[in-house]
Amino acid sequence: MKDTNKTLYLLLFVLALAVNFAGINVKFFTDDPGLYASIAKNLLYKKDLFNLFTYNTDWLDKPHLPFWAALLSFKLFGISVWAYRLPALICFAISLLYTWLFTRRYYGWETAATAVLITMTALNILLSNTDVRAEPYLMAFIMGSIYHIARLEERYSLTDLLLAALLTAFAIMTKGIFVIAAIYGALLGQLLFQKKFKSIFQLKWMVLFGLTFIFILPEFYALYIQFDLHPEKTVFDTNHVSGIKWFLWDSQFGRFVNSGPINRQASGSIFFYLHTLLWAFAPWCLLFYYAIFKNIKALIRRSKLKEYYAFSGGLFLLLLFSLSGFQLPFYTNAVFPLFAVITAPFCLEQLSRAGSKFRVIALWIFAVLLFVAVIMINNLLAPVNKVFFIADCICFALLILLILIKIKEGHKKAFFICSTSALFVGFYLNTVFYKEIVSYRGQITAAAYINQKPFNKVHVYSLKAENNIFQFYCKRPVDLVPIADFGKFKPNGLAVFYASQKSLDYLLQNHIDFRVIRSFINYPQENILPKFIDKTTRNEVLDHVYLISK
């Protein structure tokens, strides 16, 4: 690789890392991060490592590991949004390291650098590193376990065996059993495509499974003492709920067929991720589809690939997600490093004349679209502070100028400019866009109000379980009073209740007495509508949230 290319890669790596970390202190906008951070905060309040609670009620949904990571961060740095995001972002950085190590092992330095840059600039990665859920953890654990399994497949090593088992266990304790579809699917595909059928039954794989099970035991123990040991507890409106059974079966296969207690109104479509990846894996999605097509074509012709882990693991999990009845756009983030490994060679290799044209056109389409989208959004948003937007534009222009001067090959020039456009978007989102829209999150301003000294001895309640941003920002435990019970509920002492506009309307319609303490302007949705972005029409989609008393 030319020294110019190495310097440019290094510059873009540093900038991409800075952009991905730039949103670490942005206030919560969506409910899920507020919920997960609140659960970790409750672990700290209750000085309890194993029992998960929200609104002082037993909570059974996700495994424990991300909450333990956030709890450790809270203990070290205090309770804050950046402390909640920090362990996830560290895992994101670890996923980049493993992406580089894995890709360099099979494809060389430049392809590895390209794969890392693709991972860092995929649009949904940039979004999810601010709107943190479990996916950054999964990226590290899945990619890391596949890397160590790949080394283990070539030669036995106790270090690789232990790390492969530990990271696989961490992945399972982050999201559930289904993640082994990517990890063991990658191994199975590698062995089957290489016709190493006997290797499937080698002792080291049995030991790997056994060690993984041993490393998962803390999760089993936590679920057992909170739920299996207490059949009298009511969970999902029933009792005799086994936490271990939920972890191994109901949470995974119930979601898969969309029939469990946690489900979505509309069942999934097999084509959901086909079109979702067009924006989620932008600006690389078209090249990714092209790479899949070329890999399948090579397999049909029985041509050898350099490795089969990325193709097998990534596509197998994508297929499972596509067949699932429970689908969300960020689910595929966990295997974006594998998608990046599949895509990276086709950003650099010499392609056919038609393939080369497709590559350059696909990259330039997104390079232009992303830039234009930011300019249009900023004009509609009309932020008061324009410093970061101007800085973003200047950095973008200087980088483009540097690329045009230093890089001669057309396809590499298009790749670097496309990466720069993605970083332009990410920087704008984290420094301008999010900070503008979170000011309309009434849950945050309501929590700030209730945190004042006059309310220190007041007990705080929420009328809905979905008010988790409010729950997190309150500097004390928040209890839940179902809105249907509000009329007959008698608080023990002074009490304040958080109510959304819908909750207040319900109380009014049912002639239930209450007194409004204060109201706060609020944007009531997680989906960001064009009317909300446009400053001239924003008021049309706003409502209020309230602090009330009986």
Side-chain angles (χ1 to χ4, degrees), residues 31 55 440-450 458-474 478-483 486 495-504 507 514-515 517-525 543-550:
D31 191 71
Y55 300 111
Y440 293 90
R441 233 0 173 190
Q443 294 190 46
I444 298 172
T445 48
Y449 186 82
I450 205 69
V458 172
H459 202 110
V460 182
Y461 297 89
S462 171
L463 298 184
K464 286 282 184 72
E466 293 81 17
N467 301 323
N468 289 301
I469 296 175
F470 174 78
Q471 181 185 189
F472 173 75
Y473 281 100
C474 273
V478 178
D479 285 329
L480 178 67
V481 175
I483 192 168
F486 177 78
V496 172
F497 302 82
Y498 173 87
S500 65
Q501 186 67 60
K502 286 185 178 179
S503 296
L504 200 83
L507 298 177
F514 64 90
R515 182 175 66 87
I517 298 172
R518 184 137 182 187
S519 65
F520 307 89
I521 293 173
N522 178 62
Y523 178 65
Q525 298 192 48
D543 63 10
H544 289 81
V545 295
Y546 304 86
L547 292 175
I548 64 174
S549 62
K550 289 183 70 69

Side-chain angles (χ1 to χ4, degrees), residues 423-472:
L423 294 180
F424 178 69
V425 173
F427 186 79
Y428 178 79
L429 289 173
N430 285 332
T431 60
V432 180
F433 186 76
Y434 288 141
K435 290 184 178 181
E436 191 73 17
I437 65 173
V438 294
S439 62
Y440 293 90
R441 233 0 173 190
Q443 294 190 46
I444 298 172
T445 48
Y449 186 82
I450 205 69
N451 288 334
Q452 296 178 102
K453 282 186 179 180
F455 297 96
N456 279 350
K457 295 182 179 179
V458 172
H459 202 110
V460 182
Y461 297 89
S462 171
L463 298 184
K464 286 282 184 72
E466 293 81 17
N467 301 323
N468 289 301
I469 296 175
F470 174 78
Q471 181 185 189
F472 173 75

Side-chain angles (χ1 to χ4, degrees), residues 121-123 274-289 358-374 396 400 414-425:
T121 55
L123 182 57
L274 188 65
H275 59 76
T276 296
L277 287 175
L278 285 173
W279 67 264
F281 199 54
W284 315 112
C285 51
L286 295 179
L287 272 185
F288 170 67
Y289 291 148
F358 175 81
R359 173 170 60 191
V360 172
I361 291 170
L363 292 173
W364 274 107
I365 284 173
F366 279 103
V368 173
L369 280 178
L370 291 175
F371 174 75
V372 170
V374 169
F396 178 72
I400 295 296
F415 169 76
F416 285 123
I417 289 175
C418 207
S419 301
T420 304
S421 288
L423 294 180
F424 178 69
V425 173

Side-chain angles (χ1 to χ4, degrees), residues 2 94 144 159 172 176 201 216 228 239 289 410 464 508:
K2 295 179 181 178
I94 292 170
T159 301
I172 294 169
F201 304 102
I216 297 172
D228 295 70
N239 50 22
Y289 291 148
K464 286 282 184 72
L508 289 170

Side-chain angles (χ1 to χ4, degrees), residues 364 394-406 413 416-418 420-421:
W364 274 107
I394 291 171
C395 290
F396 178 72
L398 290 174
L399 273 173
I400 295 296
L401 187 62
L402 178 66
I403 292 166
L404 292 174
I405 292 171
K406 295 293 185 180
K413 191 178 293 185
F416 285 123
I417 289 175
C418 207
T420 304
S421 288

Side-chain angles (χ1 to χ4, degrees), residues 321-342:
F321 284 148
S322 297
L323 294 174
S324 171
F326 193 99
Q327 299 169 330
L328 290 169
F330 51 82
Y331 279 0
T332 50
N333 286 27
V335 286
F336 274 11
L338 296 176
F339 291 176
V341 174
I342 295 169

Side-chain angles (χ1 to χ4, degrees), residues 99 119 125 135-136 138-140 142-143 146 178-179 181-183 186 273 277 281 288 309-319 321 330-343:
T99 301
T119 305
I125 296 294
E135 280 60 41
L138 286 177
M139 288 171 62
I142 290 175
M143 198 67 215
I146 289 174
F178 86 92
V179 298
I183 298 168
Y273 289 104
L277 287 175
F281 199 54
F288 170 67
Y309 293 105
F311 180 84
S312 303
L315 269 291
F316 188 40
L317 194 58
L318 179 63
L319 178 62
F321 284 148
F330 51 82
Y331 279 0
T332 50
N333 286 27
V335 286
F336 274 11
L338 296 176
F339 291 176
V341 174
I342 295 169
T343 307

Side-chain angles (χ1 to χ4, degrees), residues 440 501 521-525 529-544:
Y440 293 90
Q501 186 67 60
I521 293 173
N522 178 62
Y523 178 65
Q525 298 192 48
L529 301 175
K531 278 191 173 184
F532 178 60
I533 295 173
D534 189 346
K535 194 170 187 177
T536 62
T537 59
R538 191 171 298 155
N539 287 335
E540 298 176 21
V541 291
L542 298 178
D543 63 10
H544 289 81

